[in-house]
Every structure is written in structure tokens, then in C-alpha cells.
């Protein structure tokens, strides 16, 4: 170790020669270092993506190091769902606000469960292989590289000793031996022979260690193949997760669009301020047809107009000022008063006085019915 340290110090000071590795070996070392550095960065940032809370990440790290199971943690969506459900029970689950809180809370719970499944899948299929490489293969590579570095220092130290022994032997042979000091020359020659023998042994050990290290470094290609497969699995898990979230939110949007008229109607009947509130912007920009007289409700006689059930076939569109709208999402009609929609189709829309601002009358050819504003893009 002392000889290696002395050789290392002299190399840093430029006082000793250094055995250079071949270009292919140097490329393997650079590729391995690059793989290690980027794997660390990708691993850390993926952990941040899956768990933004730094305290939770530290807790999971400690549990992992202690080889203990990480306790199940409630996701933010599930916690929000719990709060919304409790709020709905306090406000009254039968009120418009309470009903909506329950529906939204249920969707948040499903989103939280989907997030939990995604985190679990990504941790097993993506994070674990990256972590295994850093804590397994890379540690082995680093250990063998340190051994190779020590073997190289020993080799260069042997080369330096042999060089000095050869120089001393040559110098002694060049000096005339008037005092018959030949035994001294024999000692110098024996010293050079010993240095040559030590150099051959050290060279053999260096070559053997270099071959071991080379094989490990060439295994980085297999590591890339494995990480590529894990990356595909991560993308598939993330795609499934976002597809689930999109479907959950689309279902929620349909539910809210379908029942929003009832909620608004109930709110207007129970809130004095609702009668003086301005109409929604989207509905205000759509021209309205003349007011339809409302027949007072007679006890025992059903009146669909008074009950707020619209029959679009009983009204006619305005002579001018109707607007075109592009459908954003598919919509399934809940009853005969609604018009089913297909994404990207074009329809004609207009509003009726006193109509829920979240709804419009839509026409497509001979078909007519109510359509939710949230599913439309109004065109000028």
C-alpha cells in the first residue's frame, strides 16, 4: 500500500510515468460512469414524481434501509374524498351541494386508488431495477475498478524500480573496476533480475484484473437492455393510470352535466339571492327565442312546463342569431328531452328564456334536444 501511495503521489506531481489503458477500455469506463450518473438522476426524480412529499420519501428510505415494510399511506385524492364525504353529511346529503360533494368525493377516491396502484406498479417495475443496479452491479464494478487501480499503481512502481536497477547496473558497468568491486556489480545485477521477476508477476495480476473489470463494464449493455424494458413497463403503467383518471373525470362530468339542472333549480328555490344573480356567460351569448307562457300548476293535473321538463319539439329556433357549436365529448342522452352527442360533430344551438344556463337547445338535422354547455365549444 505504501508503494502504491508513493506511486500515486509521484504521478500527481508529474514525477512518475503512468500506464495508460487502451481506448476501448477508456470508452467502457466513460460509458459506465455516464450510466451510473444518469440512473441516479432518473431514479431520484422519479421518486419525486411518485412521492412529492420529501418527508414521506425520507420515511420510506428509512423503512427500506431497516428492511421493514413501508406502512400504507392515504393518497391525497383519498383524503380529499374523505373530507368531501364528511362535509356532505354535515351540509345534508340530500341538498344539491351535498349530492355534488358525494359524487365528486367518490371520483376523488377512485382517482386516489388509481394513483396508489400506479405508484406501486412503478416502484416494482421501474424504481426497483434502477436501485438494484446502483446498489448491486455498480458497487461490484466500483470495487473491481479500485482493485484495478491498485494493480496499475503496483505495476508502475515495479516498472520504476526496474528502471532504477537497470540504470544503476549500467552505470556500474561503465565505471572501470580498478579496485576489483565486481561483487558489487553482481549484487546490482541480481537486484535487476529480482525487479524483472516482480514486474512479470505484477503485470500478470494487472492483466487478469483488467480482464475481470472489462467483462463487468461490457455488461453495461445488458443493463441498458434491462432498463429499456423497465422503461416500457413504466410508460405502460403511466398510460393506464392517466387513461383511468380521464375516464373517471369524464364520467363525473357527465353526471354533473346531467344533474346540474336539478341542482340549480333546487338552489333557486331555496336561495333568495339566486333570483337576482346574473345568467351564466355562456348562455348569455346565445340568442333566445320569445318567452313561452307558463301555465300555472293545477292540483292533480300534471304540467310538464311548470315542472321544468322541456319538450324541445314545442319550440322553434329564432329566425336569426343561432350559433354553431363543436361537440367536445360524446354524450349519452338521459331521456327523450336530451340530444345525444358525438365528439367533433357540429350542431346548431340556442337558448330559451328561463332555461338553466348550463344547458342549451341543440339541433342536428331533424333531431332536437337539450345539450350540456360543458360538452360544447361555441363558435362565432
Amino acid at each position: 500500500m505504501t508503494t502504491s501511495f508513493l506511486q500515486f503521489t509521484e504521478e500527481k506531481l508529474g514525477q512518475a510515468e503512468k500506464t495508460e489503458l487502451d481506448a476501448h477500455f477508456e470508452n467502457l469506463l466513460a460509458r459506465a460512469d455516464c450510466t451510473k450518473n444518469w440512473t441516479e438522476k432518473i431514479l431520484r426524480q422519479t421518486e419525486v414524481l411518485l412521492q412529492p412529499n420529501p418527508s414521506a420519501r425520507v420515511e420510506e428510505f428509512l423503512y427500506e434501509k431497516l428492511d421493514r415494510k413501508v406502512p400504507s399511506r392515504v393518497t391525497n385524492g383519498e383524503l380529499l374524498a374523505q373530507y368531501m364525504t364528511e362535509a356532505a353529511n354535515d351540509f345534508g346529503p340530500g341538498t344539491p351541494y351535498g349530492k355534488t360533494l358525494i359524487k365528486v368525493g367518490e371520483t376523488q377516491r377512485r382517482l386516489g386508488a388509481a394513483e396508489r396502484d400506479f405508484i406501486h406498479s412503478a416502484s416494482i417495475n421501474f424504481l426497483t431495477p434502477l436501485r438494484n443496479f446502483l446498489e448491486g452491479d455498480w458497487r461490484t464494478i466500483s470495487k473491481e475498478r479500485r482493485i484495478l487501480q491498485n494493480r496499475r499503481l503496483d505495476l508502475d512502481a515495479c516498472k520504476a524500480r526496474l528502471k532504477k536497477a537497470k540504470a544503476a547496473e549500467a552505470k556500474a558497468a561503465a565505471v572501470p573496476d580498478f579496485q576489483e568491486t565486481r561483487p558489487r556489480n553482481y549484487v546490482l545485477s541480481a537486484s535487476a533480475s529480482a525487479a524483472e521477476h516482480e514486474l512479470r508477476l505484477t503485470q500478470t495480476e494487472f492483466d487478469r484484473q483488467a480482464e475481470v473489470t472489462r467483462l463487468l463494464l461490457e455488461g453495461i449493455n445488458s443493463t441498458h437492455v434491462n432498463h429499456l424494458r423497465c422503461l416500457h413497463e413504466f410508460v405502460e403503467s403511466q398510460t393506464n393510470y392517466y387513461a383511468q383518471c380521464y375516464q373517471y373525470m369524464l364520467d363525473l362530468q357527465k353526471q354533473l352535466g346531467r344533474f346540474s339542472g336539478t341542482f340549480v333549480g333546487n338552489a333557486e328555490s331555496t336561495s333568495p339571492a339566486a333570483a337576482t344573480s346574473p345568467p351564466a356567460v355562456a348562455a348569455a351569448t346565445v340568442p333566445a327565442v320569445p318567452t313561452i307562457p307558463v301555465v300555472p300548476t293545477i292540483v292533480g293535473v300534471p304540467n310538464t312546463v311548470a315542472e321544468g321538463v322541456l319538450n324541445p319539439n314545442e319550440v322553434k329556433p329564432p329566425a336569426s342569431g343561432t350559433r354553431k357549436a363543436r361537440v367536445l365529448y360524446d354524450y349519452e342522452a338521459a331521456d327523450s328531452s336530451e340530444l345525444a352527442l358525438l365528439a367533433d360533430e357540429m350542431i346548431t344551438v340556442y337558448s330559451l328564456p328561463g332555461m338553466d344556463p348550463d344547458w342549451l337547445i341543440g339541433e342536428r338535422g331533424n333531431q332536437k334536444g337539450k345539450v350540456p354547455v360543458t360538452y360544447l365549444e361555441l363558435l362565432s
Side-chain angles (χ1 to χ4, degrees), residues 39 100 110 199 291 304 324:
T39 300
T100 305
R110 298 171 70 187
L199 177 60
T291 305
T304 58
K324 291 292 184 180

Side-chain angles (χ1 to χ4, degrees), residues 174-235:
V175 177
D177 190 13
F178 298 108
Q179 300 179 359
E180 297 182 356
T181 57
R182 292 302 179 189
R184 177 174 177 270
N185 294 339
Y186 295 151
V187 172
L188 293 175
S189 179
S191 176
S193 298
E196 288 180 349
H197 178 69
E198 184 181 6
L199 177 60
R200 284 193 296 270
L201 294 178
T202 308
Q203 183 72 53
T204 301
E205 292 179 355
F206 172 78
D207 293 341
R208 184 185 299 112
Q209 184 60 36
E211 183 62 22
V212 171
T213 308
R214 183 193 302 272
L215 292 175
L216 290 174
L217 293 175
E218 290 176 347
I220 291 294
N221 291 330
S222 299
T223 299
H224 285 189
V225 173
N226 182 41
H227 288 181
L228 175 61
R229 177 184 57 81
C230 296
L231 183 60
H232 278 282
E233 293 180 356
F234 173 73
V235 172

Side-chain angles (χ1 to χ4, degrees), residues 128-306:
T128 299
L130 298 186
R131 195 176 290 116
N132 288 343
F133 165 72
L134 294 174
E135 298 178 355
D137 295 348
W138 180 252
R139 288 186 178 180
T140 302
I141 292 175
S142 300
K143 175 184 175 181
E144 297 301 329
R145 286 177 66 175
R146 287 192 297 269
I147 295 176
L148 178 63
Q149 173 73 352
N150 292 334
R151 294 287 186 268
R152 186 196 62 77
L153 291 172
D154 292 340
L155 176 62
D156 289 337
C158 288
K159 289 180 179 179
R161 285 196 297 270
L162 178 59
K163 184 177 181 180
K164 291 178 181 179
K166 290 287 187 181
E169 183 181 7
K171 182 178 179 181
V175 177
D177 190 13
F178 298 108
Q179 300 179 359
E180 297 182 356
T181 57
R182 292 302 179 189
R184 177 174 177 270
N185 294 339
Y186 295 151
V187 172
L188 293 175
S189 179
S191 176
S193 298
E196 288 180 349
H197 178 69
E198 184 181 6
L199 177 60
R200 284 193 296 270
L201 294 178
T202 308
Q203 183 72 53
T204 301
E205 292 179 355
F206 172 78
D207 293 341
R208 184 185 299 112
Q209 184 60 36
E211 183 62 22
V212 171
T213 308
R214 183 193 302 272
L215 292 175
L216 290 174
L217 293 175
E218 290 176 347
I220 291 294
N221 291 330
S222 299
T223 299
H224 285 189
V225 173
N226 182 41
H227 288 181
L228 175 61
R229 177 184 57 81
C230 296
L231 183 60
H232 278 282
E233 293 180 356
F234 173 73
V235 172
E236 183 178 356
S237 297
Q238 197 171 31
T239 301
N240 293 335
Y241 166 61
Y242 285 124
Q244 281 183 303
C245 293
Y246 172 75
Q247 188 60 48
Y248 293 157
M249 294 307 300
L250 196 61
D251 294 342
L252 176 63
Q253 189 180 42
K254 289 181 180 180
Q255 293 181 34
L256 296 184
R258 179 176 301 171
F259 297 107
S260 61
T262 303
F263 293 160
V264 173
N266 291 341
E268 289 177 351
S269 63
T270 57
S271 175
T276 59
S277 60
V281 176
T285 59
V286 180
V289 300
T291 305
I292 301 176
V294 178
V295 181
T297 302
I298 302 176
V299 178
V301 179
N303 189 330
T304 58
V305 177

Side-chain angles (χ1 to χ4, degrees), residues 102-122:
I102 292 176
K103 292 183 178 297
V104 176
E106 176 60 23
T107 300
Q108 294 300 324
R109 185 193 63 77
R110 298 171 70 187
L111 292 174
E115 179 185 4
R116 182 194 303 277
D117 293 340
F118 167 60
I119 292 175
H120 179 71
S121 175

